[in-house]
Amino acid sequence: EVQLVESGGGLVQPGGSLRLSCTASGFTFDDYGISWVRQAPGKGLEWVSTIYRHTSTTYYADSVKGRFTISADNAKNTLSLQMNSLKSEDTAVYYCAGEDGPYAPFEYWGQGTLVTVSA
């Protein structure tokens, strides 16, 4: 059974930084892609970033490029999202999502962690 648990959310000032973590069980970061997806209040899901460990490839949404950094510790099966220069628009519930092959990039989901950016 695949389980993903996000942590690290909270209240942060605009321009501040926050680091999110996602700990996985029953899922390997080695051969599969894992992503961060967020949902702002009253809005739909927005893809944020994806890392593919087997190719050392990362992807970012334009809205976060240059500010967020995705990384994975395969030894600990932990995914991280370093969030810098946070804006109010970054306020959202952040989910980690693991793929089950290229046709199911968001097959597995965690429960999410809330990030609130406000002065």
Side-chain angles (χ1 to χ4, degrees), residues 4-20:
L4 304 173
V5 180
E6 301 93 337
S7 62
L11 177 64
V12 64
Q13 297 275 68
S17 298
L18 206 61
R19 186 177 181 88
L20 306 182

Side-chain angles (χ1 to χ4, degrees), residues 15 41 72 82 88 101 104 107:
Q82 179 63 47
S88 60
E107 183 70 13

